[in-house]
Amino acid sequence: MSWLIALSGGFAGGILLRSVFSFGWPVILFTLLLTGLCVGARVRAPRLVYTSGAVFFLFIALGMVRALVADTPPPSAFASDVKHRVAYDGIVVADPDLRDASQRVMVRVARGGESTILLVVAPRTTVVAVGDAVRISGTLALPEPFADDNGRVFRYDKYLQRDGVRFMLNFAFMRVTSPAPWYSLPAALAQVKHAFLNGLANVLPEPVASLAGGVVIGGKSGLGSDLQAAFTRSGLVQIIVLSGYNIMVVAEWVMAALALTRLSRKWRGAAGALAILLFVGIAGFAATALRAMLMAFIALYARATGRAYVAGRALLAVVFVMLAGNPLYLAYDPGFGLSVAATAGLIWLAPIIERLLSELRRSPFLRVICQVQSRLRRDGTLSKKAPVEARVGFWRDVIATTLAAQVAVLPLLLYDTGNLSLVAIPANMLATPMVPLTMALSALAGFAGMLFGSTALTASVHALGILLALPAYLTNEYLLILAQKAATLPFAAFTLPAFPFWLVLLAYAALIVIAASKRFSTTLQLRFAKKNMMVASPQSS
């Protein structure tokens, strides 16, 4: 484990240093010199610290090199057209991002032997889909960083570059020259996504339909600015965007369903990987979804081969692989950083919090919760209640996972946005247990809408679709009311001034020291990970 921490930590550290400070080969050569010194010390005195140091500095240098290679100028064939009116032919490569009066569409274009992706800002009058061939015209511009009211600088240029976007086409005109070909897999996956969202719209009213779509496959454009602000202010915004949690829940469902089949372990693993890959393809290949998908693949491989799955090792390996593929994720994709931090909190901090809470299981607070949860007789008196320990354990897990995730993401969240939600922890405690159920019921509502929600069908058939969607309406309405009520509480959230980056590093250093403390048993962490993350145990073929 130590060598994997040194490897992935060093690689990420090198990328981060090169992203924050612009330097060239002299610093990289100096880091390689430090690697050589550690190797020399290892030869003279074989110790783990020297070996780990050599691996750490070597991969810091490799991370610097990877970030240096990724720092390329925009294609020269297009750079000469900046600030001029241009016209190109291209292919739509991603779902349009619909705004109130405009849409933002990623279009791949080629010219002079070079290709790039443009972010086209155009009116919503033209309906486009993934895979469509389009003719675009407008003013070519380079994306630029911008600062908010509190002085935080957002590198919008690098944020777009992580998806390959190097230019913007403002005030654009766009028309479809030919639809996507029938054999286009991205176009087919996008059509499935929109058919599902249309099915939700057929049987659920707004904004419940938009929330249901966001809970299952991500997306918040239909919620409106007020509701989006409410979810942000209440600390529940992760519910309405595609996150690793969505993928983790789907992976759990897939593996549980395949466990009921008579397929061999290898075939179950292959079928599970294919199902998760299709879901991520339909929802969109965001960095957070890719992270969760790769971790799920490792879990499936462990089950197929009968090996143990350790979530911490899987996370470190996946982070290394993703940063090797795209180093811009680390410094310029806030969602990726928050997803990794939350997952690390669940793996290493949640067991510590659970242990502390287990010492308080006799507290009056938890006893009151258990009494409220107790079953009632028809005459209103308490019946023989279920084991108290089981219900205490349930709430202990909910509190531990919520606190761990919130504590882990807080420094990074303050640095990125400055939003400090004082109601995030209680709101997430009330929302988190409902999210898997809401996802399942919303998926059922979407399929019911696809089958029975068309207005061309008879009224009775349409009513059947609405009836099947009623449970999803209730659970999504609960989340809506929770977010709105939490956001309207006095002093629910604050926007802090610019949070120094050195404080972020200090905060995470303190969390690492706590997680690595010998006071907390590693066995407890593995036990908690087995219960809450997707720990793979060998199953009979």
Side-chain angles (χ1 to χ4, degrees), residues 248-311:
M248 186 182 72
V249 171
V250 172
E252 289 280 12
W253 290 345
V254 169
M255 288 188 285
L258 291 174
L260 302 176
T261 67
R262 296 183 178 180
L263 295 173
S264 65
R265 287 186 301 188
K266 292 183 179 180
W267 281 109
R268 285 201 299 264
L274 179 60
I276 295 170
L277 180 62
L278 288 176
F279 176 78
V280 175
I282 293 171
F285 288 97
T288 56
L290 287 175
R291 192 271 311 158
M293 181 186 73
L294 293 177
M295 291 187 68
F297 283 172
I298 295 175
L300 289 171
Y301 175 78
R303 285 192 174 184
T305 57
R307 300 181 181 182
Y309 171 74
V310 181

Side-chain angles (χ1 to χ4, degrees), residues 111-199:
R111 180 183 180 186
E114 294 181 306
S115 67
T116 189
I117 298 177
L118 309 181
L119 183 64
V120 180
V121 183
R124 294 183 57 173
T125 52
T126 303
V127 178
V128 296
V130 176
D132 288 350
V134 294
R135 176 71 173 178
I136 54 177
S137 60
T139 303
L140 193 67
L142 288 171
E144 297 181 355
F146 60 85
D148 61 13
D149 296 336
N150 295 309
R152 291 182 179 82
V153 177
F154 181 60
R155 291 299 304 271
Y156 188 55
D157 53 340
K158 294 294 185 179
Y159 176 77
L160 293 180
Q161 187 180 344
R162 88 199 197 286
D163 290 327
V165 177
R166 305 306 304 268
F167 300 94
M168 296 183 66
L169 203 63
N170 296 316
F171 311 106
F173 171 78
M174 178 170 50
R175 64 181 177 87
V176 178
T177 57
S178 63
W182 63 269
Y183 52 82
S184 173
L185 180 59
L189 294 176
Q191 289 172 5
V192 173
K193 174 182 177 179
H194 288 287
F196 176 78
L197 295 177
N198 292 335

Side-chain angles (χ1 to χ4, degrees), residues 242-422:
L242 182 65
S243 64
Y245 184 75
N246 302 65
I247 311 302
M248 186 182 72
V249 171
V250 172
E252 289 280 12
W253 290 345
V254 169
M255 288 188 285
L258 291 174
L260 302 176
T261 67
R262 296 183 178 180
L263 295 173
S264 65
R265 287 186 301 188
K266 292 183 179 180
W267 281 109
R268 285 201 299 264
L274 179 60
I276 295 170
L277 180 62
L278 288 176
F279 176 78
V280 175
I282 293 171
F285 288 97
T288 56
L290 287 175
R291 192 271 311 158
M293 181 186 73
L294 293 177
M295 291 187 68
F297 283 172
I298 295 175
L300 289 171
Y301 175 78
R303 285 192 174 184
T305 57
R307 300 181 181 182
Y309 171 74
V310 181
R313 293 179 181 175
L315 177 63
L316 294 173
V318 166
V319 168
F320 175 78
V321 170
M322 291 189 65
L323 293 182
N326 190 343
L328 297 176
Y329 282 147
L330 182 62
Y332 305 114
D333 190 332
F336 175 77
L338 293 172
S339 176
V340 171
T343 306
L346 293 176
I347 295 172
W348 287 295
L349 295 181
I352 298 173
I353 298 174
E354 186 193 32
R355 178 182 176 181
L356 296 176
L357 291 175
S358 65
E359 300 174 0
L360 303 175
R361 61 184 178 180
R362 298 182 181 274
S363 66
F365 173 71
L366 291 180
R367 289 291 179 179
V368 169
I369 291 178
C370 292
Q371 292 177 3
V372 172
Q373 292 284 321
S374 297
R375 293 170 294 176
L376 294 174
R377 288 180 180 170
R378 290 184 179 179
D379 58 3
T381 61
L382 288 175
S383 67
K384 184 178 180 180
K385 54 186 179 180
V388 174
E389 180 62 29
R391 279 173 287 169
V392 172
F394 169 78
W395 283 106
R396 186 169 61 234
D397 291 347
V398 171
I399 295 172
T401 54
T402 301
L403 285 175
Q406 293 295 319
V407 169
V409 302
L410 183 59
L412 196 57
L413 192 64
L414 292 179
Y415 175 75
D416 288 335
T417 66
N419 294 328
L420 177 62
S421 176
L422 301 183

